[in-house]
Amino acid sequence: MFDEKRKVVLIGTGFVGMSMAYSIMNTGGIDELVLIDVNEEKAQGEAMDISDGLPYAKTHMKVIAGNYHECRDADIVVITAGAAQKPGQTRLELAGINAKIIKNITKQVMSSGFNGIIVVASNPVDLMSYVVKKVSGLPANRVIGSGTILDTARLRHKMCEYLNITSSNIHAYVLGEHGDSSFVSWDNAYVGCLKLYDYLDRKGIEHTELEHIHQEVRDAAYKIIERKKATYYGIGLSLNRLLQAILNDENAILTVSAHQDGQYTDEDIYIGVPAVVNRSGVKEIIKLDLNKNDQEKFNHSCKTLKQTIKETIDQIIEDKA
Ligand SMILES: NC(=O)c1ccc[n+]([C@@H]2O[C@H](COP(=O)([O-])OP(=O)(O)OC[C@H]3O[C@@H](n4cnc5c(N)ncnc54)[C@H](O)[C@@H]3O)[C@@H](O)[C@H]2O)c1
């Protein structure tokens, strides 16, 4: 892996997948991008369209439409295939339909002989990452969900606007399910190297706005989908950020959906936590000290996911069809 050619296979050439592809075109860092979609003509058209911009891209990249054999020597497979939320629909409501799709895709990826890292963005992303881990049999550190990476970007952007401090100096994380039970651990939020609460106190800024900011972050997808039917640019950039952290062996701390092995409380689920990401995938989960209230929110998020695993997901994974 990662010796010479950097090869990524994208499965699902819809809004999210192609926004990621376009973001990669703008940053470079990948030598070959293979596009796979159940709608083969769409994948072909996307490869043709995006390749047209190559002379103006930062670095050269080969972009082709292909099939599952292409996964054999890929460093990373990114899955963005499946149904997307409709207006008013929760992410969890997609669980049944997308679990079947993701199971089928994972089997085809693995039958190519693939032995790299799988990044999952299809929703509900924590549950789809669980499906990929179970069906692929890959080590847990090599299956990574995009988790709350986008929610954290939304939070940092809103905090940047609220405090008028650049977002790269806002260290605050959205934790838990990428969905309605996500939360922010404000105790663990920093502005530069100052605790957020201390910074607010020094500036005489009320703490009361913080919960409102989280509500805006949590409901952002609903508001965007209401207006333009889908969300894709934000997640496209976030996925590219995750790929670069892996391929460049960055040891970057990102909030991804990572396999839990008791680091917080639960085991054998995927959920959004800060984690160190490098070319081995998830190198380490960062355990934050959560206050009682935040720990309860985290437990609630885990319980919500576990309930859907028990009611819907495990059955689909076990189904021999
Ligand atoms: N993780 C996040 O933060 C985040 C953010 C936005 C959207 N999403 C999710 O990403 C997914 C894709 O969203 P979108 O807006 O790109 O949807 P889209 O409908 O534009 O694209 C989905 C693509 O998947 C393809 N597809 C469907 N079944 C397939 C299969 N079996 N094999 C291969 N390809 C298949 C479709 O042909 C289509 O091209 C959704 O589940 C959505 O909820 C995740």
Side-chain angles (χ1 to χ4, degrees), residues 11-16 37-38 42 80-85 94 98 101 105 121-123 146 150 178 231 235:
I11 304 172
T13 59
F15 287 119
V16 171
D37 200 288
V38 70
K42 167 130 172 72
T80 63
Q85 278 171 278
L94 297 171
N98 277 352
I101 293 174
I105 287 173
S122 309
N123 273 321
S146 57
L150 170 60
H178 170 58
T231 73
I235 184 63

PDB file of all heavy atoms in Angstrom, residues 11-16 37-38 42 80-85 94 98 101 105 121-123 146 150 178 231 235, ligand 1:
ATOM      1  N   ILE A  11     -17.138   4.243  -5.070  1.00  0.00           N
ATOM      2  CA  ILE A  11     -18.342   3.488  -5.441  1.00  0.00           C
ATOM      3  C   ILE A  11     -19.563   4.340  -5.103  1.00  0.00           C
ATOM      4  O   ILE A  11     -19.836   4.614  -3.923  1.00  0.00           O
ATOM      5  CB  ILE A  11     -18.389   2.131  -4.718  1.00  0.00           C
ATOM      6  CG1 ILE A  11     -17.106   1.348  -5.034  1.00  0.00           C
ATOM      7  CG2 ILE A  11     -19.636   1.346  -5.145  1.00  0.00           C
ATOM      8  CD1 ILE A  11     -16.931   0.078  -4.251  1.00  0.00           C
ATOM      9  N   GLY A  12     -20.263   4.782  -6.133  1.00  0.00           N
ATOM     10  CA  GLY A  12     -21.404   5.698  -5.959  1.00  0.00           C
ATOM     11  C   GLY A  12     -21.029   7.051  -6.528  1.00  0.00           C
ATOM     12  O   GLY A  12     -20.384   7.859  -5.853  1.00  0.00           O
ATOM     13  N   THR A  13     -21.400   7.281  -7.794  1.00  0.00           N
ATOM     14  CA  THR A  13     -20.965   8.525  -8.451  1.00  0.00           C
ATOM     15  C   THR A  13     -22.085   9.558  -8.457  1.00  0.00           C
ATOM     16  O   THR A  13     -22.328  10.231  -9.459  1.00  0.00           O
ATOM     17  CB  THR A  13     -20.479   8.251  -9.889  1.00  0.00           C
ATOM     18  OG1 THR A  13     -21.566   7.663 -10.619  1.00  0.00           O
ATOM     19  CG2 THR A  13     -19.291   7.325  -9.902  1.00  0.00           C
ATOM     20  N   GLY A  14     -22.779   9.662  -7.328  1.00  0.00           N
ATOM     21  CA  GLY A  14     -23.831  10.671  -7.194  1.00  0.00           C
ATOM     22  C   GLY A  14     -23.257  11.999  -6.727  1.00  0.00           C
ATOM     23  O   GLY A  14     -22.062  12.285  -6.900  1.00  0.00           O
ATOM     24  N   PHE A  15     -24.110  12.793  -6.092  1.00  0.00           N
ATOM     25  CA  PHE A  15     -23.692  14.131  -5.649  1.00  0.00           C
ATOM     26  C   PHE A  15     -22.501  14.079  -4.690  1.00  0.00           C
ATOM     27  O   PHE A  15     -21.537  14.838  -4.833  1.00  0.00           O
ATOM     28  CB  PHE A  15     -24.854  14.823  -4.939  1.00  0.00           C
ATOM     29  CG  PHE A  15     -25.948  15.269  -5.864  1.00  0.00           C
ATOM     30  CD1 PHE A  15     -27.240  14.758  -5.732  1.00  0.00           C
ATOM     31  CD2 PHE A  15     -25.712  16.212  -6.845  1.00  0.00           C
ATOM     32  CE1 PHE A  15     -28.253  15.180  -6.575  1.00  0.00           C
ATOM     33  CE2 PHE A  15     -26.719  16.645  -7.689  1.00  0.00           C
ATOM     34  CZ  PHE A  15     -27.994  16.122  -7.549  1.00  0.00           C
ATOM     35  N   VAL A  16     -22.586  13.189  -3.710  1.00  0.00           N
ATOM     36  CA  VAL A  16     -21.540  13.149  -2.679  1.00  0.00           C
ATOM     37  C   VAL A  16     -20.228  12.646  -3.271  1.00  0.00           C
ATOM     38  O   VAL A  16     -19.170  13.263  -3.103  1.00  0.00           O
ATOM     39  CB  VAL A  16     -21.987  12.255  -1.489  1.00  0.00           C
ATOM     40  CG1 VAL A  16     -20.835  12.035  -0.518  1.00  0.00           C
ATOM     41  CG2 VAL A  16     -23.176  12.881  -0.775  1.00  0.00           C
ATOM     42  N   ASP A  37     -20.370   2.638 -10.463  1.00  0.00           N
ATOM     43  CA  ASP A  37     -21.767   2.918 -10.093  1.00  0.00           C
ATOM     44  C   ASP A  37     -22.630   1.828 -10.711  1.00  0.00           C
ATOM     45  O   ASP A  37     -22.287   1.281 -11.775  1.00  0.00           O
ATOM     46  CB  ASP A  37     -22.202   4.299 -10.618  1.00  0.00           C
ATOM     47  CG  ASP A  37     -23.416   4.846  -9.878  1.00  0.00           C
ATOM     48  OD1 ASP A  37     -24.535   4.319 -10.099  1.00  0.00           O
ATOM     49  OD2 ASP A  37     -23.250   5.780  -9.064  1.00  0.00           O
ATOM     50  N   VAL A  38     -23.746   1.529 -10.038  1.00  0.00           N
ATOM     51  CA  VAL A  38     -24.678   0.553 -10.603  1.00  0.00           C
ATOM     52  C   VAL A  38     -25.181   1.075 -11.950  1.00  0.00           C
ATOM     53  O   VAL A  38     -25.471   0.307 -12.869  1.00  0.00           O
ATOM     54  CB  VAL A  38     -25.822   0.272  -9.592  1.00  0.00           C
ATOM     55  CG1 VAL A  38     -26.754   1.448  -9.441  1.00  0.00           C
ATOM     56  CG2 VAL A  38     -26.587  -0.985  -9.943  1.00  0.00           C
ATOM     57  N   LYS A  42     -23.614   6.441 -16.018  1.00  0.00           N
ATOM     58  CA  LYS A  42     -23.381   7.636 -15.195  1.00  0.00           C
ATOM     59  C   LYS A  42     -21.905   7.712 -14.813  1.00  0.00           C
ATOM     60  O   LYS A  42     -21.269   8.753 -14.933  1.00  0.00           O
ATOM     61  CB  LYS A  42     -24.272   7.597 -13.949  1.00  0.00           C
ATOM     62  CG  LYS A  42     -23.904   8.616 -12.876  1.00  0.00           C
ATOM     63  CD  LYS A  42     -25.090   9.416 -12.410  1.00  0.00           C
ATOM     64  CE  LYS A  42     -24.798  10.306 -11.218  1.00  0.00           C
ATOM     65  NZ  LYS A  42     -23.985  11.456 -11.518  1.00  0.00           N
ATOM     66  N   THR A  80     -19.946   5.761  -1.369  1.00  0.00           N
ATOM     67  CA  THR A  80     -20.940   6.845  -1.250  1.00  0.00           C
ATOM     68  C   THR A  80     -22.213   6.453  -1.992  1.00  0.00           C
ATOM     69  O   THR A  80     -22.980   7.311  -2.419  1.00  0.00           O
ATOM     70  CB  THR A  80     -20.391   8.180  -1.827  1.00  0.00           C
ATOM     71  OG1 THR A  80     -20.149   7.984  -3.220  1.00  0.00           O
ATOM     72  CG2 THR A  80     -19.126   8.633  -1.158  1.00  0.00           C
ATOM     73  N   ALA A  81     -22.403   5.147  -2.179  1.00  0.00           N
ATOM     74  CA  ALA A  81     -23.566   4.674  -2.944  1.00  0.00           C
ATOM     75  C   ALA A  81     -24.784   4.522  -2.037  1.00  0.00           C
ATOM     76  O   ALA A  81     -24.656   4.405  -0.824  1.00  0.00           O
ATOM     77  CB  ALA A  81     -23.239   3.328  -3.575  1.00  0.00           C
ATOM     78  N   GLY A  82     -25.944   4.526  -2.659  1.00  0.00           N
ATOM     79  CA  GLY A  82     -27.167   4.235  -1.913  1.00  0.00           C
ATOM     80  C   GLY A  82     -28.146   5.374  -1.928  1.00  0.00           C
ATOM     81  O   GLY A  82     -27.914   6.405  -2.562  1.00  0.00           O
ATOM     82  N   ALA A  83     -29.234   5.152  -1.216  1.00  0.00           N
ATOM     83  CA  ALA A  83     -30.290   6.172  -1.165  1.00  0.00           C
ATOM     84  C   ALA A  83     -29.863   7.312  -0.256  1.00  0.00           C
ATOM     85  O   ALA A  83     -29.139   7.107   0.719  1.00  0.00           O
ATOM     86  CB  ALA A  83     -31.572   5.541  -0.653  1.00  0.00           C
ATOM     87  N   ALA A  84     -30.309   8.516  -0.604  1.00  0.00           N
ATOM     88  CA  ALA A  84     -30.026   9.692   0.225  1.00  0.00           C
ATOM     89  C   ALA A  84     -31.314  10.129   0.920  1.00  0.00           C
ATOM     90  O   ALA A  84     -32.410   9.741   0.519  1.00  0.00           O
ATOM     91  CB  ALA A  84     -29.470  10.814  -0.650  1.00  0.00           C
ATOM     92  N   GLN A  85     -31.165  10.956   1.974  1.00  0.00           N
ATOM     93  CA  GLN A  85     -32.347  11.453   2.713  1.00  0.00           C
ATOM     94  C   GLN A  85     -33.256  12.263   1.809  1.00  0.00           C
ATOM     95  O   GLN A  85     -32.779  13.087   1.017  1.00  0.00           O
ATOM     96  CB  GLN A  85     -31.894  12.405   3.820  1.00  0.00           C
ATOM     97  CG  GLN A  85     -31.414  11.777   5.096  1.00  0.00           C
ATOM     98  CD  GLN A  85     -30.810  12.849   5.992  1.00  0.00           C
ATOM     99  OE1 GLN A  85     -29.664  13.240   5.832  1.00  0.00           O
ATOM    100  NE2 GLN A  85     -31.601  13.344   6.925  1.00  0.00           N
ATOM    101  N   LEU A  94     -33.068   5.359   6.549  1.00  0.00           N
ATOM    102  CA  LEU A  94     -32.439   4.767   5.352  1.00  0.00           C
ATOM    103  C   LEU A  94     -31.768   3.434   5.658  1.00  0.00           C
ATOM    104  O   LEU A  94     -31.268   2.758   4.752  1.00  0.00           O
ATOM    105  CB  LEU A  94     -31.352   5.710   4.811  1.00  0.00           C
ATOM    106  CG  LEU A  94     -31.756   7.087   4.313  1.00  0.00           C
ATOM    107  CD1 LEU A  94     -30.507   7.915   4.032  1.00  0.00           C
ATOM    108  CD2 LEU A  94     -32.588   6.961   3.045  1.00  0.00           C
ATOM    109  N   ASN A  98     -30.303   0.854   2.683  1.00  0.00           N
ATOM    110  CA  ASN A  98     -28.874   1.028   2.387  1.00  0.00           C
ATOM    111  C   ASN A  98     -28.019  -0.125   2.912  1.00  0.00           C
ATOM    112  O   ASN A  98     -26.981  -0.444   2.327  1.00  0.00           O
ATOM    113  CB  ASN A  98     -28.373   2.377   2.903  1.00  0.00           C
ATOM    114  CG  ASN A  98     -28.687   3.495   1.909  1.00  0.00           C
ATOM    115  OD1 ASN A  98     -29.136   3.221   0.789  1.00  0.00           O
ATOM    116  ND2 ASN A  98     -28.468   4.728   2.295  1.00  0.00           N
ATOM    117  N   ILE A 101     -27.732  -2.635   0.191  1.00  0.00           N
ATOM    118  CA  ILE A 101     -26.855  -2.136  -0.885  1.00  0.00           C
ATOM    119  C   ILE A 101     -25.385  -2.219  -0.463  1.00  0.00           C
ATOM    120  O   ILE A 101     -24.525  -2.706  -1.196  1.00  0.00           O
ATOM    121  CB  ILE A 101     -27.246  -0.676  -1.260  1.00  0.00           C
ATOM    122  CG1 ILE A 101     -28.636  -0.648  -1.907  1.00  0.00           C
ATOM    123  CG2 ILE A 101     -26.202  -0.034  -2.157  1.00  0.00           C
ATOM    124  CD1 ILE A 101     -29.186   0.756  -2.174  1.00  0.00           C
ATOM    125  N   ILE A 105     -22.241  -4.378  -2.026  1.00  0.00           N
ATOM    126  CA  ILE A 105     -21.047  -3.683  -2.539  1.00  0.00           C
ATOM    127  C   ILE A 105     -19.794  -4.226  -1.847  1.00  0.00           C
ATOM    128  O   ILE A 105     -18.780  -4.506  -2.489  1.00  0.00           O
ATOM    129  CB  ILE A 105     -21.184  -2.151  -2.310  1.00  0.00           C
ATOM    130  CG1 ILE A 105     -22.207  -1.571  -3.293  1.00  0.00           C
ATOM    131  CG2 ILE A 105     -19.836  -1.446  -2.422  1.00  0.00           C
ATOM    132  CD1 ILE A 105     -22.550  -0.107  -3.050  1.00  0.00           C
ATOM    133  N   ALA A 121     -19.313   6.663   3.546  1.00  0.00           N
ATOM    134  CA  ALA A 121     -20.053   7.917   3.777  1.00  0.00           C
ATOM    135  C   ALA A 121     -21.557   7.716   3.656  1.00  0.00           C
ATOM    136  O   ALA A 121     -22.332   8.558   4.106  1.00  0.00           O
ATOM    137  CB  ALA A 121     -19.598   8.992   2.794  1.00  0.00           C
ATOM    138  N   SER A 122     -21.993   6.601   3.067  1.00  0.00           N
ATOM    139  CA  SER A 122     -23.437   6.374   2.882  1.00  0.00           C
ATOM    140  C   SER A 122     -24.138   6.359   4.241  1.00  0.00           C
ATOM    141  O   SER A 122     -23.602   5.831   5.217  1.00  0.00           O
ATOM    142  CB  SER A 122     -23.673   5.029   2.189  1.00  0.00           C
ATOM    143  OG  SER A 122     -22.880   4.930   1.035  1.00  0.00           O
ATOM    144  N   ASN A 123     -25.328   6.898   4.273  1.00  0.00           N
ATOM    145  CA  ASN A 123     -26.073   7.013   5.529  1.00  0.00           C
ATOM    146  C   ASN A 123     -27.022   5.854   5.775  1.00  0.00           C
ATOM    147  O   ASN A 123     -27.486   5.231   4.812  1.00  0.00           O
ATOM    148  CB  ASN A 123     -26.885   8.315   5.516  1.00  0.00           C
ATOM    149  CG  ASN A 123     -26.061   9.482   6.024  1.00  0.00           C
ATOM    150  OD1 ASN A 123     -25.284   9.340   6.962  1.00  0.00           O
ATOM    151  ND2 ASN A 123     -26.250  10.640   5.403  1.00  0.00           N
ATOM    152  N   SER A 146     -17.276   8.273   7.781  1.00  0.00           N
ATOM    153  CA  SER A 146     -17.044   9.731   7.834  1.00  0.00           C
ATOM    154  C   SER A 146     -17.595  10.313   9.131  1.00  0.00           C
ATOM    155  O   SER A 146     -17.178  11.400   9.551  1.00  0.00           O
ATOM    156  CB  SER A 146     -17.660  10.423   6.614  1.00  0.00           C
ATOM    157  OG  SER A 146     -19.028  10.142   6.536  1.00  0.00           O
ATOM    158  N   LEU A 150     -18.132  15.933   9.092  1.00  0.00           N
ATOM    159  CA  LEU A 150     -18.842  17.069   8.487  1.00  0.00           C
ATOM    160  C   LEU A 150     -19.505  17.925   9.570  1.00  0.00           C
ATOM    161  O   LEU A 150     -19.446  19.159   9.512  1.00  0.00           O
ATOM    162  CB  LEU A 150     -19.895  16.554   7.484  1.00  0.00           C
ATOM    163  CG  LEU A 150     -20.878  17.569   6.934  1.00  0.00           C
ATOM    164  CD1 LEU A 150     -20.170  18.692   6.181  1.00  0.00           C
ATOM    165  CD2 LEU A 150     -21.891  16.880   5.999  1.00  0.00           C
ATOM    166  N   HIS A 178     -23.824  10.328  13.643  1.00  0.00           N
ATOM    167  CA  HIS A 178     -24.001  11.357  12.616  1.00  0.00           C
ATOM    168  C   HIS A 178     -25.504  11.390  12.356  1.00  0.00           C
ATOM    169  O   HIS A 178     -26.017  10.707  11.481  1.00  0.00           O
ATOM    170  CB  HIS A 178     -23.221  10.993  11.348  1.00  0.00           C
ATOM    171  CG  HIS A 178     -23.542  11.877  10.178  1.00  0.00           C
ATOM    172  ND1 HIS A 178     -23.382  13.246  10.208  1.00  0.00           N
ATOM    173  CD2 HIS A 178     -24.040  11.592   8.953  1.00  0.00           C
ATOM    174  CE1 HIS A 178     -23.764  13.755   9.047  1.00  0.00           C
ATOM    175  NE2 HIS A 178     -24.181  12.773   8.272  1.00  0.00           N
ATOM    176  N   THR A 231     -27.256  17.341   0.271  1.00  0.00           N
ATOM    177  CA  THR A 231     -26.050  18.043   0.741  1.00  0.00           C
ATOM    178  C   THR A 231     -24.846  17.305   0.161  1.00  0.00           C
ATOM    179  O   THR A 231     -24.816  16.076   0.177  1.00  0.00           O
ATOM    180  CB  THR A 231     -25.926  18.025   2.278  1.00  0.00           C
ATOM    181  OG1 THR A 231     -25.556  16.711   2.711  1.00  0.00           O
ATOM    182  CG2 THR A 231     -27.218  18.428   2.955  1.00  0.00           C
ATOM    183  N   ILE A 235     -19.591  17.544   2.543  1.00  0.00           N
ATOM    184  CA  ILE A 235     -19.105  16.166   2.754  1.00  0.00           C
ATOM    185  C   ILE A 235     -18.033  15.818   1.711  1.00  0.00           C
ATOM    186  O   ILE A 235     -17.090  15.081   2.020  1.00  0.00           O
ATOM    187  CB  ILE A 235     -20.275  15.135   2.767  1.00  0.00           C
ATOM    188  CG1 ILE A 235     -19.749  13.720   3.089  1.00  0.00           C
ATOM    189  CG2 ILE A 235     -21.065  15.137   1.480  1.00  0.00           C
ATOM    190  CD1 ILE A 235     -19.138  13.544   4.435  1.00  0.00           C
TER     191      ILE A 235
HETATM  192  N1  LIG B   1     -21.782  11.016   5.730  1.00  0.00           N
HETATM  193  C1  LIG B   1     -22.246  12.222   5.467  1.00  0.00           C
HETATM  194  O1  LIG B   1     -21.931  13.182   6.161  1.00  0.00           O
HETATM  195  C2  LIG B   1     -23.187  12.373   4.290  1.00  0.00           C
HETATM  196  C3  LIG B   1     -23.549  13.647   3.811  1.00  0.00           C
HETATM  197  C4  LIG B   1     -24.410  13.721   2.729  1.00  0.00           C
HETATM  198  C5  LIG B   1     -24.929  12.557   2.162  1.00  0.00           C
HETATM  199  N2  LIG B   1     -24.546  11.348   2.673  1.00  0.00           N
HETATM  200  C6  LIG B   1     -25.057  10.091   2.117  1.00  0.00           C
HETATM  201  O2  LIG B   1     -24.319   9.725   0.955  1.00  0.00           O
HETATM  202  C7  LIG B   1     -25.111   8.855   0.159  1.00  0.00           C
HETATM  203  C8  LIG B   1     -25.110   9.347  -1.287  1.00  0.00           C
HETATM  204  O3  LIG B   1     -25.797  10.577  -1.372  1.00  0.00           O
HETATM  205  P1  LIG B   1     -25.914  11.333  -2.777  1.00  0.00           P
HETATM  206  O4  LIG B   1     -26.548  12.630  -2.503  1.00  0.00           O
HETATM  207  O5  LIG B   1     -24.621  11.262  -3.487  1.00  0.00           O
HETATM  208  O6  LIG B   1     -26.973  10.377  -3.511  1.00  0.00           O
HETATM  209  P2  LIG B   1     -27.142  10.206  -5.087  1.00  0.00           P
HETATM  210  O7  LIG B   1     -28.489   9.590  -5.284  1.00  0.00           O
HETATM  211  O8  LIG B   1     -26.796  11.449  -5.804  1.00  0.00           O
HETATM  212  O9  LIG B   1     -26.018   9.129  -5.474  1.00  0.00           O
HETATM  213  C9  LIG B   1     -26.054   7.811  -5.070  1.00  0.00           C
HETATM  214  C10 LIG B   1     -25.371   6.996  -6.164  1.00  0.00           C
HETATM  215  O10 LIG B   1     -25.280   5.644  -5.697  1.00  0.00           O
HETATM  216  C11 LIG B   1     -25.504   4.811  -6.832  1.00  0.00           C
HETATM  217  N3  LIG B   1     -25.877   3.481  -6.387  1.00  0.00           N
HETATM  218  C12 LIG B   1     -27.051   3.078  -5.833  1.00  0.00           C
HETATM  219  N4  LIG B   1     -27.005   1.763  -5.575  1.00  0.00           N
HETATM  220  C13 LIG B   1     -25.776   1.330  -5.946  1.00  0.00           C
HETATM  221  C14 LIG B   1     -25.135   0.066  -5.943  1.00  0.00           C
HETATM  222  N5  LIG B   1     -25.735  -1.025  -5.496  1.00  0.00           N
HETATM  223  N6  LIG B   1     -23.879  -0.010  -6.410  1.00  0.00           N
HETATM  224  C15 LIG B   1     -23.236   1.084  -6.894  1.00  0.00           C
HETATM  225  N7  LIG B   1     -23.809   2.313  -6.936  1.00  0.00           N
HETATM  226  C16 LIG B   1     -25.059   2.424  -6.474  1.00  0.00           C
HETATM  227  C17 LIG B   1     -26.604   5.522  -7.612  1.00  0.00           C
HETATM  228  O11 LIG B   1     -26.687   5.082  -8.952  1.00  0.00           O
HETATM  229  C18 LIG B   1     -26.153   6.983  -7.497  1.00  0.00           C
HETATM  230  O12 LIG B   1     -25.293   7.361  -8.550  1.00  0.00           O
HETATM  231  C19 LIG B   1     -26.505   8.841   0.812  1.00  0.00           C
HETATM  232  O13 LIG B   1     -26.658   7.700   1.618  1.00  0.00           O
HETATM  233  C20 LIG B   1     -26.489  10.106   1.653  1.00  0.00           C
HETATM  234  O14 LIG B   1     -27.408  10.058   2.727  1.00  0.00           O
HETATM  235  C21 LIG B   1     -23.689  11.243   3.680  1.00  0.00           C
END
